[in-house]
Amino acid sequence: MDIIADILLAAGALGAGFYCLVLSRRLKRFNDLEKGVGGAVAVLSAQVDDLNKSLQSAQQVSDGSSKALQQLTGRAESVAQRLELMMASMHDIPEAGTAAPAAEPAAEDEAMAAAYEADSKPAAADQEEAKPSGLMFVRHNRSQNRVA
């Protein structure tokens, strides 16, 4: 009976040793930096570092853009204030039509009629001379213009 118990005890110890050997190999493959989860963790860690760097640079760029936008907004507000001041000061200036003395309407009408007649005569002569003598538009055959 003692011999049977010793044989079963030795078999159990060998089984436990074999089980520990299999577990150690699996653990080595699991922590492998190239193929296992360790590699995936290393790659993800590198990606997180890259994302943090890009986030910091994006924050710096946005801060610079925000400062530039604030400066431009300040300049625009000051220009708007000056324009409002100029518009307010324009109300004090008399209008140009009321300040100038009015000319006689008959003299103005005669001058306008003479200028209109002088402008219309050369335009009519140019239209008669500018008539096209040949074809204005040429229709091309599309099948001849295609590139093979």
Side-chain angles (χ1 to χ4, degrees), residues 85-95:
L85 183 61
M86 286 182 192
M87 291 296 290
S89 68
M90 293 295 288
H91 293 292
D92 298 338
I93 299 174
E95 291 184 20

Side-chain angles (χ1 to χ4, degrees), residues 2-138:
D2 287 334
I3 295 176
I4 295 175
D6 288 339
I7 292 174
L8 288 176
L9 186 62
L14 286 175
F18 179 73
Y19 182 72
C20 288
L21 180 68
V22 169
L23 282 180
S24 71
R25 286 185 181 173
R26 284 188 181 179
L27 188 60
K28 283 181 184 178
R29 275 189 271 146
F30 184 74
N31 289 331
D32 188 20
L33 289 178
E34 291 180 8
K35 296 180 182 177
V37 174
V41 169
V43 169
L44 288 174
S45 175
Q47 288 178 349
V48 167
D49 290 340
D50 291 340
L51 286 174
N52 281 336
K53 289 177 185 176
S54 64
L55 178 65
Q56 289 175 354
S57 65
Q59 285 176 344
Q60 290 173 353
V61 168
S62 67
D63 289 342
S65 298
S66 174
K67 289 178 183 178
L69 187 59
Q70 286 176 352
Q71 290 174 353
L72 288 174
T73 304
R75 287 178 52 197
E77 287 175 355
S78 66
V79 168
Q81 288 174 355
R82 287 191 303 193
L83 284 174
E84 288 174 0
L85 183 61
M86 286 182 192
M87 291 296 290
S89 68
M90 293 295 288
H91 293 292
D92 298 338
I93 299 174
E95 291 184 20
T98 59
E104 293 183 21
E108 286 182 12
D109 290 340
E110 290 174 8
M112 290 293 283
Y116 181 71
E117 288 176 14
D119 286 342
S120 64
K121 287 180 183 177
D126 289 342
Q127 287 178 355
E128 291 175 6
E129 293 174 8
K131 288 184 180 177
S133 60
L135 291 176
M136 231 177 190
F137 298 103
V138 178

